[in-house]
Amino acid sequence: MLSRVAESVFWMNRYIERAENYSRFIDVNHQLSLDLNEEVPNQWLPLVHTTGDYELFAKKYSEPSPVNVIRFMTFDEENPNSIFQCLSKARENARTIRENISTSMWEVLNEFYLYVKDYRKLYLETNGEHGDTLSMGLSDFLSTVRKSCQSFYGCSDATISHDEVWNFSLLGRFLERADKTTRILDMKYFILLPSVHDVGSTLDLLQWLSLLKSASAHEMYNRRYKKIDPTDIAEFLILNDTFPRSIIFCIQEMQEALEKISGLKEGLPRNSAQDATTVYLNKLRSENIKSIFDKGLHEYLDDIQIELNQIGSKIVERFFTNKL
């Protein structure tokens, strides 16, 4: 398989997963803001910190108002991680490898991109530079984004061979998903809660509940635990090996995809990307939630992000450096 094809497949899926996660973050935060009174500290700035784009946001916008944050994360052409830009780049990657994906996949992604492009144009024409995004059916728009991402995944599952293209798709999807799960957990635990005095308050519980909804984990969490508890939520989103958005589940999927890509069953030598993923997965399996909190959840999540970045770098070095 050509490395340029593998790289395009990998990034196409990362960008789609990123767009879906951003739509979740924004929508849940929007719903949460409707439940909070004006005395509650700003609930939107932590969202920009979570995505790692605060410096760019601060250069462009004078204040972290809901309108500014939503515009920045959804439609901003200068933000490389906005939903619009993610879909633009996903579509361009798909266009360059049309012969390696199904017609159905291309049609779903192309229609999805055109929908977001048209919505963005309508929003800018209607609202100009200071428009109120919240008045334009924001929740419906974000719901369509999520459903379109899921349609793309379902179409991929059903219409392409589960070969190297498929496994590079999974690699990009689950690497991105694991990273975003760490970020949404860290936002709540380290950034969002304004004071230790708020622990256990109605605000605290609302925020933890919104976190579960951001990861589409609310129903599955309730099947396992009886009440909203921060320790249980962290355990579920980090160490539950059956929930598809938990960190350990994502890394398990990455390990399996890497083994298939690297030809482990054919007796080929292991590579650094495989080794790094396997070592870290074994480390995660040896953890329990008490040991994680003893180290400090924020510090632990930082370490996971560092590990994921290193694994990502090794994937790029091993598979994408020499494009043919």
Side-chain angles (χ1 to χ4, degrees), residues 227-245:
K227 62 180 182 178
I228 301 297
D229 179 81
T231 302
D232 290 340
I233 292 173
E235 180 180 52
F236 187 71
L237 291 179
I238 297 173
L239 298 176
N240 187 293
D241 61 4
T242 61
F243 181 64
R245 291 189 173 273

Side-chain angles (χ1 to χ4, degrees), residues 68-258:
N68 287 343
V69 174
I70 292 169
R71 177 192 288 268
F72 178 72
M73 293 184 63
T74 307
F75 302 121
D76 199 318
E77 203 166 18
E78 295 178 27
N79 176 10
N81 295 315
S82 69
I83 291 174
F84 174 69
Q85 279 289 55
C86 283
L87 290 177
S88 298
K89 288 184 279 193
R91 180 178 179 272
E92 178 60 21
N93 276 290
R95 187 191 63 78
T96 65
I97 54 168
R98 274 289 285 111
E99 69 279 7
N100 290 279
I101 62 175
S102 68
T103 299
S104 297
M105 288 173 64
W106 169 253
E107 289 175 347
V108 168
L109 180 53
N110 194 47
E111 289 172 7
F112 182 16
Y113 164 76
L114 292 175
Y115 165 76
V116 173
K117 181 181 178 182
D118 289 345
Y119 188 98
R120 176 180 180 272
K121 181 181 179 182
L122 176 63
Y123 166 74
L124 294 177
E125 288 178 349
T126 304
N127 294 280
E129 291 299 314
H130 305 287
D132 181 1
T133 309
L134 306 183
S135 67
M136 286 195 62
L138 177 67
S139 289
D140 289 341
F141 168 76
L142 295 171
S143 177
T144 300
V145 169
R146 291 194 301 278
K147 289 175 182 177
S148 297
C149 291
Q150 290 160 5
S151 293
F152 179 82
Y153 293 150
C155 191
S156 300
D157 291 358
T159 63
I160 65 170
S161 299
H162 287 204
D163 54 12
E164 285 183 319
V165 170
W166 167 252
N167 283 301
F168 274 109
S169 298
L170 295 182
L171 200 54
R173 184 190 309 177
F174 284 106
L175 179 59
E176 184 68 30
R177 186 175 295 178
D179 177 76
K180 292 301 174 286
T181 298
T182 66
R183 292 180 184 278
I184 193 63
L185 254 177
D186 200 32
M187 179 182 74
K188 172 64 186 84
Y189 191 77
F190 186 69
I191 302 173
L192 198 55
L193 195 63
S195 168
V196 293
H197 300 296
D198 291 306
V199 173
S201 67
T202 300
L203 169 62
D204 190 31
L205 294 176
L206 276 172
Q207 289 175 339
W208 281 111
L209 183 60
S210 73
L211 183 152
L212 285 172
K213 290 179 178 179
S214 293
S216 288
H218 188 205
E219 292 82 5
M220 295 304 101
Y221 174 87
N222 284 341
R223 286 178 58 186
R224 187 176 180 91
Y225 301 97
K226 295 181 179 179
K227 62 180 182 178
I228 301 297
D229 179 81
T231 302
D232 290 340
I233 292 173
E235 180 180 52
F236 187 71
L237 291 179
I238 297 173
L239 298 176
N240 187 293
D241 61 4
T242 61
F243 181 64
R245 291 189 173 273
S246 77
I247 293 164
I248 196 168
F249 184 97
C250 292
I251 296 177
Q252 286 174 168
E253 292 294 310
M254 289 166 57
Q255 182 196 42
E256 184 175 343
L258 278 167

